[in-house]
Amino acid sequence: MRDTVTPTHCPYCALQCGMNLTPSPDGSTVGVSERADFPVNRGALCGKGRSAPAVLSSSVRLTSPLVRSEEGALVPASWEEALGRVAEGFGRTRAEYGADAVGVFGGGGLTNEKAYSLGKFARVVLGTSQIDYNGRFCMSSAAAAGGRAFGLDRGLPFPLEDVPRTGCVVLVGSNPAETMPPSLRYFTELKENGGTLIVVDPRRTKTAEHADLHLAPRPGTDLALALGLLHLIVAEGRTDEAYVLERTAGWEGTRAAAMAHWPEYVERITGVSVPELREAVRLFCEPEAAMVLTARGPEQQSKGTDTVSAWINLCLATGRAGRPLSGYGCLTGQGNGQGGREHGQKADQLPGYRKLTDPAARAHVAEVWGMDPDSLPGPGRSAYELLDALGTDIRSLLLMGSNPVVSAPRAAHIEERIRSLDFLAVCDVVLSETAALADVVLPVTQWAEETGTTTNLEGRVLLRRRAITPPAGVRSDLEVMHELAARLGGERNLEKGFPTDPEEVFEELRRASAGGPADYSGITYRRLAEENGVFWPCPASGDPGAGVHPGTPRLFLDRFATEDGRARFVPVTHRAVAEEPDEEYPVLLTTGRVVAQYQSGAQTRRVEELNAAAPGPFVELHPRLAERLGAAEGEPVAVVSRRGRAVAPARITTAIRPDTVFMPFHWAGEGRANTLTNPALDPTSRMPEFKACAVRLEAVRL
C-alpha cells in the first residue's frame, strides 16, 4: 500500500474536526496527524479523535455477519444467509401485520448518503411510516424552537470563527471542554479579545471554570432563569425597540409573560441570586454584539422547546439575532446530527428538511424517487414512542448505527421491548449491547473505510474520504440497503433506486433537496474536495451565467426564513420538571458526558487509552449530601428512581449543587444511568427529559 496521506474528518462529535490519515505499508494500521488547514479545529484533536483508528482493528470490530442459532447464540454466517434472513423476517412481518409493523431506527453518526437512503428505504421499500433516529434525543428541542422563531433551523447560523469576535457568549447547559474540547479555544480567544463568557450549568464543569460568571440553577429551571433575565432587560430599559419593531413579531405577549417572572420569584425557583441575575444582564447587554448557545442541558427536558424559545426571546428582545457577530445557536452533539435529520431519517421529514405533511414537498420528493406522492407514508412515531411500541404495534426492527439499550431513557424498559420483538436486524461496526440482542447482525464499514458527506454543527457540508480498504467480510450500509431492496422489492427492481456508490447517492440527494430549506443542490463532491466545506443552503443556479453559489455561512442577516421575513417571539412561562423531588425521591439526577467517552460508549469503550482515562460510571455528589448518606469517595452508591436502580462509585465534589447528583451515561450494566431517566416527552419536539428526574440515594454496604 502506498504511503498516502488522506485528508478527512473525525468520526465523533459535530465539530467534525479535520485530520490526516496515513496507512501503514501493510494497511494493518492507520496513523492520525494534524490537519491545520481545516478552519474548525485548526489541527487540534481530542483524545477520542487521536485514538479513533483503534476501532478499525479487527480485534474489536465485527468482520462477519452473525445470525441467531437454534441454540440461541449469535454465530458467523455468510452474507447470503444473513441478508436472506433479514428479508424473510421483514417480509413475514409485513405479510402478517402490515407495513407499519416494521420499524426503522437510525443514527446521528450516519453520513448524509446513508441517512438519505435509510429514509427512502423505509418509505419506498418497506412502505413504513415508522422511522426515526437517535438524533431526536440530541437537539430536537432546539430545532423546534429555532424553526418556529426563525422559520429555519441550522445548529449554528454562523461559523464558529465568529464566536471570539463577539462581546459576550452565554453557554446554556453546554460543557464543550469535555464534549468537544477543540472548540474551547474559541471561548478562550473570546476572553483574550476582551469578551465575556457566562456559563449556565448546575455543575461547576471544566467549561464553567473558564467563565466570567457561572450561574448554577437547579436542573430543569433554565426556562425560569431565561424569563427572569428577560424581565430585568425590560425593567432596566435594555430592549432594542427599533429592532423589535422592524424585524420581529409577537413581542407584546412575550413581554407580558416575562414580566410575570420577577427576579425574587426566579431566585426561589432556580437558586440563582438576584445579584447574579443582574450581573448576567449587564454582561450580556453592554457589548454591541452577543450570542446565546444552548446544548443538551436546556434541550433534554419535557419543556425543552419552550426553554430554548425563552433564550431565543432574550436574543430577539436585545437585537442579538440576524446581525453580525450576534445570534442564537445550538451546539449539535452527534457527528452528523445536523445532516442526519435534514434528509429523511426523522419521522416527520423528507429530504431537504421538507415537511412530510406538505403536499408540495411530497410531490417533489416522490418525483425524484419515481413514485406516486399518495403512496408515501405519512409521519410516524418519534424515537422514544417508536422504541416503546416495539413488540406490540411494531414487530420487526431495522436498527442502523444506534445503541438504545444504553442511550434511551428508561433503558431497562426499552431493553425489554427490544427483546420482545419478533425480529431484529442491526447494522453496526461493533457488537453493541443492542446488537447482542439481534437475530441478525450485519458488519458495516466505518468512517476511514468509506467516502461520504457529513454536515457539522455550523451547517458546513464536508467530505469524509476513504483512506483504507475495509476487512474482507464487511460491507457498507449502502450495499446492505441495495441488497435488501433487491430481495424485498419483488418485480419492482427497487435495488436500482439504491446505488452503492456514495457520490451517486449524493447526486440524487442534491435533486431531492433542491428548493427545500436545506438546499444542497449547488454542492458537489468536486467542490467539497477542493474547499473546506460548503455551508447550506447552497442552491444550484438555474442560470449558466450566474456562477456557483458560494454557500451561506451566515443566515438571517437580511431577513429571517419566515413568510414576512420577521422573527417570531413565542410567549412561554415557567413550569416544573415532569418529576419533582418528594419525600421518597428527594434528590434531582442530571446526566451527561465525560471527555474520554462518547455517547453510548459502544466504540470508545473498546479503546484502551480512553478506558484508562474513564474506566467506568460514577455518581457525582456534594459533600453535604455524601455526609448525610454516609458515603465515602470511591465507595459504591445506589441511585434509585421510579424506573430502576443503578450503582456506581461515589465522586464527592463541591462542583455540584447539594440537591443534585450527576451520572455520565456511557456505560451499560449496573451503572447504566439511563435505567433511571424519565421518558416524559416535550409536547412539540418529543424530546425525553434526560436532564432531570427525582431519585434517592442508598449506601451500598460491601
Side-chain angles (χ1 to χ4, degrees):
M1 184 177 291
R2 301 191 309 275
D3 186 27
T4 303
V5 176
T6 301
T8 190
H9 297 273
C10 177
Y12 291 118
C13 82
L15 286 179
Q16 287 296 281
C17 292
M19 58 170 60
N20 289 319
L21 298 182
T22 306
S24 62
D26 63 358
S28 61
T29 60
V30 62
V32 174
S33 59
E34 292 186 359
R35 182 183 164 194
D37 69 306
F38 186 61
V40 174
N41 63 310
R42 292 176 275 173
L45 292 170
C46 72
K48 293 188 291 290
R50 289 194 306 271
S51 64
V55 187
L56 297 168
S57 170
S58 296
S59 64
V60 300
R61 56 94 56 86
L62 295 168
T63 57
S64 170
L66 303 173
V67 299
R68 188 73 59 184
S69 70
E70 291 183 3
E71 292 75 27
L74 283 173
V75 297
S78 69
W79 272 95
E80 188 65 26
E81 179 185 358
L83 290 168
R85 286 207 190 187
V86 175
E88 180 186 4
F90 292 158
R92 185 170 58 248
T93 297
R94 286 194 304 174
E96 189 169 349
Y97 300 103
D100 272 359
V102 181
V104 177
F105 198 85
L110 301 180
T111 62
N112 289 320
E113 292 80 1
K114 293 179 187 179
Y116 170 81
S117 294
L118 188 61
K120 180 181 178 183
F121 180 85
R123 296 175 175 108
V124 174
V125 177
L126 297 175
T128 183
S129 65
Q130 300 303 306
I131 174 172
D132 211 77
Y133 83 128
N134 63 16
R136 175 80 66 173
F137 299 157
C138 178
M139 58 178 291
S140 58
S141 294
R148 68 188 189 183
F150 307 129
L152 179 68
D153 153 58
R154 194 180 80 185
L156 294 181
F158 43 75
L160 277 167
E161 67 185 46
D162 286 0
V163 170
R165 299 189 293 141
T166 193
C168 176
V169 172
V170 183
L171 271 177
V172 188
S174 176
N175 183 18
E178 296 203 66
T179 58
M180 44 182 66
S183 71
L184 191 63
R185 67 169 56 188
Y186 290 100
F187 305 105
T188 302
E189 291 172 7
L190 166 75
K191 296 184 65 175
E192 290 172 351
N193 292 341
T196 56
L197 176 64
I198 301 172
V199 171
V200 179
D201 200 302
R203 305 166 61 224
R204 188 164 182 79
T205 62
K206 291 182 179 179
T207 304
E209 290 173 358
H210 290 267
D212 297 282
L213 177 64
H214 172 214
L215 306 179
R218 290 177 73 243
T221 64
D222 317 77
L223 175 51
L225 179 64
L227 285 161
L229 295 176
L230 184 54
H231 177 110
L232 285 171
I233 284 169
V234 174
E236 295 177 6
R238 295 181 183 269
T239 55
D240 187 333
E241 297 295 337
Y243 171 93
V244 168
L245 183 64
E246 180 184 354
R247 300 203 60 187
T248 73
W251 170 230
E252 291 305 319
T254 296
R255 178 170 57 187
M259 297 316 289
H261 295 76
W262 59 95
E264 291 77 12
Y265 172 57
V266 169
E267 180 181 67
R268 290 199 300 272
I269 294 171
T270 65
V272 177
S273 70
V274 173
E276 288 176 311
L277 296 173
R278 294 189 184 279
E279 178 65 1
V281 166
R282 184 186 70 81
L283 293 175
F284 182 67
C285 291
E286 284 188 353
E288 185 176 339
M291 298 174 178
V292 173
L293 304 178
T294 67
R296 305 304 78 76
E299 298 162 19
Q300 288 181 326
Q301 298 183 28
S302 59
K303 54 182 185 297
T305 304
D306 283 357
T307 301
V308 174
S309 289
W311 290 101
I312 291 174
N313 290 341
L314 206 68
C315 293
L316 295 177
T318 53
R320 309 308 181 100
R323 284 179 168 173
L325 306 181
S326 285
Y328 162 78
C330 166
L331 296 173
T332 311
Q334 295 190 78
N336 197 33
Q338 181 72 50
R341 73 179 185 281
E342 292 169 2
H343 299 300
Q345 255 193 125
K346 204 157 167 260
D348 53 354
Q349 287 177 345
L350 288 170
Y353 227 152
R354 289 180 160 92
K355 294 183 184 300
L356 188 52
T357 53
D358 177 5
R362 293 170 67 86
H364 174 86
V365 173
E367 183 179 6
V368 173
W369 289 352
M371 63 187 300
D372 183 344
D374 292 337
S375 66
L376 270 175
R381 292 173 172 89
S382 70
Y384 180 79
E385 291 165 304
L386 189 156
L387 295 171
D388 189 41
L390 299 181
T392 55
D393 293 344
I394 299 174
R395 309 301 295 254
S396 293
L397 180 69
L398 172 63
L399 192 144
M400 191 173 285
S402 187
N403 188 19
V405 164
V406 177
S407 63
R410 198 185 173 196
H413 170 71
I414 295 305
E415 179 177 346
E416 179 184 299
R417 300 317 315 144
I418 289 172
R419 289 180 182 274
S420 72
L421 282 165
D422 293 346
F423 184 81
L424 171 64
V426 173
C427 298
D428 211 331
V429 171
V430 297
L431 190 66
S432 70
E433 287 76 14
T434 306
L437 304 179
D439 296 284
V440 176
V441 183
L442 302 175
V444 291
T445 51
Q446 50 182 312
W447 63 292
E449 301 163 349
E450 59 187 12
T451 294
T453 62
T454 61
T455 306
N456 82 343
L457 76 173
E458 308 164 298
R460 188 193 301 251
V461 185
L462 306 166
L463 183 65
R464 272 199 210 152
R465 298 168 174 86
R466 174 172 165 161
I468 58 173
T469 302
V474 172
R475 298 186 183 181
S476 75
D477 296 282
L478 296 180
E479 290 175 297
V480 169
M481 286 182 274
H482 175 86
E483 293 293 336
L484 290 177
R487 287 163 171 79
L488 290 164
E491 298 178 356
R492 294 181 292 166
N493 296 321
L494 291 180
E495 68 272 21
K496 293 182 180 179
F498 293 87
T500 60
D501 176 17
E503 186 170 7
E504 190 176 344
V505 176
F506 190 79
E507 287 300 304
E508 183 178 302
L509 182 157
R510 292 176 62 210
R511 291 189 288 119
S513 73
D519 191 334
Y520 282 34
S521 61
I523 305 174
T524 64
Y525 268 36
R526 180 174 179 178
R527 279 191 72 177
L528 295 177
E530 295 171 352
E531 304 177 34
N532 270 322
V534 178
F535 292 86
W536 71 261
C538 181
S541 174
D543 180 359
V548 175
H549 192 285
T552 315
R554 295 170 182 85
L555 297 170
F556 313 137
L557 294 180
D558 299 318
R559 69 190 310 274
F560 294 98
T562 56
E563 287 187 7
D564 59 6
R566 292 172 173 268
R568 300 290 190 268
F569 281 101
V570 178
V572 293
T573 57
H574 169 70
R575 59 185 186 272
V577 295
E579 190 177 74
E580 285 275 33
D582 56 21
E583 188 174 336
E584 187 177 3
Y585 300 96
V587 177
L588 278 170
L589 167 71
T590 192
T591 63
R593 288 171 46 188
V594 297
V595 66
Q597 300 289 351
Y598 182 72
Q599 302 301 78
S600 75
Q603 295 182 49
T604 52
R605 285 187 276 118
R606 287 167 167 81
V607 179
E608 185 177 341
E609 173 188 336
L610 300 178
N611 281 334
F618 57 86
V619 181
E620 188 176 276
L621 67 162
H622 192 275
R624 294 209 299 269
L625 186 55
E627 184 178 3
R628 290 202 302 271
L629 181 66
E633 179 73 22
E635 290 186 354
V637 170
V639 185
V640 183
S641 78
R642 290 177 173 87
R643 288 152 296 279
R645 184 175 190 265
V647 179
R651 183 172 294 181
I652 301 172
T653 175
T654 57
I656 193 166
R657 293 173 53 97
D659 58 3
T660 301
V661 295
F662 167 83
M663 289 187 72
F665 59 76
H666 309 291
W667 289 273
E670 70 172 5
R672 180 174 60 185
N674 278 320
T675 296
L676 308 166
T677 48
N678 190 354
L681 300 181
D682 179 285
T684 303
S685 68
R686 316 308 288 169
M687 168 74 84
E689 191 151 64
F690 288 99
K691 288 300 181 186
C693 72
V695 297
R696 68 172 181 266
L697 273 62
E698 299 172 351
V700 177
R701 304 305 174 195
L702 299 177

